[in-house]
Amino acid sequence: MHDLTISYGGEPVLEGASLAVGDGSFVSLVGPSGSGKSSLLRAVIGLQRPLSGTVETGLAPSQIGILFQDDALLPWKTARENVALGLTFNGMVRGKALAEADAWLARLDLAGLGDRFPRRLSGGQRKRVALAQVLAMRPKLMLMDEPFASLDAIVRARVVKDLVALVEREKISVLLVTHDLEEALSLSDDVYLLSQGPRARITEHYDVPLPRPRDPVLSRTHPAFAPLYERLWADLSREVDQRAEAA
Amino acid sequence: MMRLDPRYTWMRQVAALAALLAVWEAADRANLLNPIYAPSPSRVGAALVDLFADGRIWPHLEATFGAALGGLALGILVGVVLGVVAALVPFIAELLEPVMTVLNAIPRVILAPLFVIWLGIGLASKVALSFILVAVLIFFTVFTGIRQVDRRLVERVVTLGGNRRALVRHVYLPSVASWVLGNLKIAVGFAFTGACVGEFVAATEGLGYLLSFAQSTYNAALMFALILLILVVVLLIFGLAGRLEKHLLRWN
Ligand SMILES: Nc1ncnc2c1ncn2[C@@H]1O[C@H](COP(=O)(O)OP(=O)(O)OP(=O)(O)O)[C@@H](O)[C@H]1O
Ligand SMILES: [Mg+2]
């Protein structure tokens, strides 16, 4: 992504943002609320046309999956049908797509819940279904917009752990948007910091030298974690403070 | 205060009704009521039995059902089509919305005499009244509904690779169906209102016609019997509509 500027008509929300997601790497984007993180992800997948700048993925649209903040499952379709949906859009026959959906549900610990409608699933289960829906497409790149924000800590840790294992195994590149600095560091190879908007910019980039495969909980106890966390936290606080003074 | 067991609510209600009817009946037997105005339950019951005993009720029931169901089906069909078209084509919306808003604001039953002049005193004028009552309701349900379709669902389907047809089939149609079903009971009520009022205004058969006949002959027992009958008919159809809704919206 190069020199991306996004505007909703008035002053640009986000200006001159450039970042790179390497093949199979896990990249997080952190930044204050309203800095344009969601807008940036929407630009990558074509839901939002940037004012200027370019996004290059070298991938077909069906190879990019996006996980929204809310799960956005179709309420009138069962979990299985929801997961099969993208597969049938891309030409798979229904029977095969449903079988594939069952396999993904099982992989995400949802075996036996395929016939449930989303209303009858818990928040964590719905999130897993949404994850299965995206993973079933076998994406090369996953975009995630605070997908776990609504989950309680324990459920969240479990979903994240499954996700990391799958992503590492399938060598999927990930661009994760999050408020949660710890989560960003514990999961990522690279973290980018977005300044406070409007006219938000990418101000910092951090390399995260934690080893892979990773355990998203235990990696927080790695000696390299604390210093990085401190730096990231200081930079983010400074960013927010500066804006507060300017205002 | 006495605590009431909610499991027996219906029993208490039935008992209260029975008591009321018993008092009413007793008052009648004691010649405290004028049967011209307030016929006793047994007289109403007799009138009801009468209607069915000689079989003359059937063509009337058939006429009212035909008008109501015809108007309901046509109204839903036209309401959905116009609502969808208006939601998709801004030019059509510009033309239709004010007309529909006016039609929605007025009590549409005032069109009954007009329909009689245009379509005669037969079935057509009743279907038309039923139709206009239902169509306007359904139009607004669909029109406003489509504009409020959950953007997130649309984006979800698009980002999974769905095309326009997929959007219509997996997002728009199910949304429209759920709003229409959600309003089905109201539409049924409207349809029967249209049919009965239409018959009341000018007709040769139907429950509404029988009502106006009962009125002109000061036959209160017959009137009560008819009101009771219409009540039962509509409740039955409500029950059916409710089951249909429950089945089709079982995801909800
Ligand atoms: N559809 C829209 N029309 C106009 N302005 C918008 C629209 N969507 C977002 N914005 C504005 O753009 C800015 C960035 O929004 P965005 O949702 O990208 O922020 P964010 O970084 O994801 O914030 P959060 O962390 O709260 O989710 C905000 O100031 C918001 O008000
Ligand atoms: Mg956001």
Side-chain angles (χ1 to χ4, degrees):
Chain A
M1 170 189 313
H2 186 69
D3 205 17
L4 205 68
T5 298
I6 296 173
S7 155
Y8 289 99
E11 197 178 6
V13 165
L14 176 103
E15 208 170 37
S18 301
L19 65 78
V21 180
D23 248 355
S25 71
F26 199 122
V27 176
S28 289
L29 182 64
V30 295
S33 190
S35 53
K37 305 183 295 294
S38 300
S39 306
L40 190 145
L41 283 194
R42 293 168 60 83
V44 174
I45 202 149
L47 287 173
Q48 169 72 38
R49 252 168 52 109
L51 196 62
S52 66
T54 51
V55 178
E56 267 172 54
T57 57
L59 298 172
S62 67
Q63 292 178 300
I64 307 177
I66 184 163
L67 209 53
F68 295 101
Q69 177 153 9
D70 30 44
D71 33 63
L73 297 171
L74 295 177
W76 37 78
K77 293 198 176 291
T78 61
R80 174 185 298 117
E81 290 167 338
N82 265 294
V83 175
L85 205 59
L87 297 173
T88 58
F89 290 161
N90 286 282
M92 197 182 278
V93 291
R94 200 177 135 80
K96 189 152 178 272
L98 290 174
E100 187 91 336
D102 273 334
W104 276 103
L105 289 173
R107 227 163 289 173
L108 286 165
D109 242 357
L110 292 165
L113 296 181
D115 290 323
R116 294 263 190 107
F117 288 100
R119 289 270 152 84
R120 309 232 3 251
L121 294 169
S122 74
Q125 290 168 337
R126 274 204 299 274
K127 200 62 79 179
R128 281 167 195 269
V129 174
L131 197 55
Q133 190 181 46
V134 177
L135 287 171
M137 306 281 292
R138 300 201 167 270
K140 292 267 186 290
L141 171 65
M142 282 259 283
L143 309 173
M144 300 195 275
D145 191 353
E146 303 187 44
F148 312 117
S150 61
L151 301 182
D152 72 62
I154 295 169
V155 175
R156 179 174 176 147
R158 291 191 47 201
V159 176
V160 169
K161 189 171 175 180
D162 291 352
L163 172 75
V164 169
L166 268 162
V167 160
E168 281 179 351
R169 205 177 64 212
E170 312 272 329
K171 307 223 176 345
I172 302 171
S173 318
V174 178
L175 178 53
L176 169 74
V177 155
T178 179
H179 275 129
D180 186 333
L181 304 187
E182 278 187 60
E183 184 170 85
L185 287 175
S186 66
L187 299 179
S188 311
D189 302 305
D190 296 89
V191 176
Y192 289 88
L193 177 65
L194 205 55
S195 64
Q196 177 96 48
R199 291 184 184 276
R201 296 182 153 273
I202 291 183
T203 50
E204 301 282 344
H205 168 231
Y206 313 82
D207 244 333
V208 186
L210 304 178
R212 294 227 175 249
R214 258 191 231 172
D215 181 307
V217 176
L218 296 182
S219 63
R220 298 174 196 215
T221 59
H222 191 279
F225 187 88
L228 255 179
Y229 181 78
E230 258 174 57
R231 230 182 93 201
L232 185 52
W233 174 245
D235 291 342
L236 183 63
S237 308
R238 184 149 26 81
E239 197 49 59
V240 175
D241 287 345
Q242 271 174 10
R243 279 288 166 165
E245 275 167 34
Chain B
M1 215 175 88
M2 189 172 71
R3 288 274 306 273
L4 292 176
D5 188 335
R7 278 174 305 172
Y8 300 121
T9 299
W10 66 274
M11 276 191 179
R12 291 188 291 272
Q13 288 167 336
V14 167
L17 184 66
L20 178 72
L21 293 179
V23 171
W24 188 345
E25 187 70 38
D28 182 77
R29 297 274 157 96
N31 281 326
L32 294 173
L33 294 175
N34 184 342
I36 300 273
Y37 300 116
S40 69
S42 61
R43 285 179 216 264
V44 173
L48 201 55
V49 168
D50 227 29
L51 280 174
F52 282 91
D54 61 6
R56 76 189 151 104
I57 189 66
W58 296 115
H60 295 292
L61 268 174
E62 211 178 299
T64 304
F65 260 86
L69 297 185
L72 182 68
L74 272 178
I76 290 180
L77 186 73
V78 172
V80 167
V81 169
L82 289 184
V84 168
V85 171
L88 298 181
V89 188
F91 169 70
I92 304 282
E94 258 177 32
L95 299 181
L96 268 183
E97 213 186 345
V99 177
M100 288 295 182
T101 305
V102 168
L103 278 177
N104 197 33
I106 60 170
R108 293 188 284 288
V109 291
I110 61 173
L111 297 172
L114 190 64
F115 287 146
V116 173
I117 296 181
W118 283 350
L119 301 170
I121 61 168
L123 186 68
S125 57
K126 284 80 199 166
V127 174
L129 191 62
S130 243
F131 160 79
I132 199 80
L133 283 172
V134 173
V136 175
L137 168 78
I138 298 294
F139 170 81
F140 276 108
T141 306
V142 172
F143 180 59
T144 50
I146 286 189
R147 290 171 159 200
Q148 288 163 11
V149 160
D150 194 336
R151 290 293 318 162
R152 294 169 310 169
L153 299 186
V154 172
E155 290 184 346
R156 179 70 283 180
V157 167
V158 169
T159 52
L160 285 173
N163 53 17
R164 260 187 98 90
R165 245 190 56 212
L167 268 184
V168 169
R169 179 163 155 217
H170 296 294
V171 180
Y172 285 98
L173 273 183
S175 305
V176 168
S178 72
W179 303 312
V180 170
L181 283 169
N183 273 307
L184 191 60
K185 281 186 188 168
I186 303 179
V188 165
F190 276 18
F192 273 88
T193 305
C196 289
V197 172
E199 288 161 357
F200 197 83
V201 169
T204 54
E205 55 183 357
L207 297 175
Y209 161 77
L210 284 182
L211 266 176
S212 97
F213 169 79
Q215 179 203 320
S216 59
T217 53
Y218 269 78
N219 190 340
L222 177 59
M223 218 179 275
F224 272 98
L226 287 168
I227 290 171
L228 211 62
L229 185 57
I230 292 173
L231 200 83
V232 169
V233 164
V234 171
L235 282 182
L236 266 177
I237 300 207
F238 265 33
L240 283 179
R243 289 191 97 151
L244 186 69
E245 189 185 327
K246 207 164 188 171
H247 176 70
L248 291 176
L249 299 185
R250 64 189 179 285
W251 50 268
N252 204 336

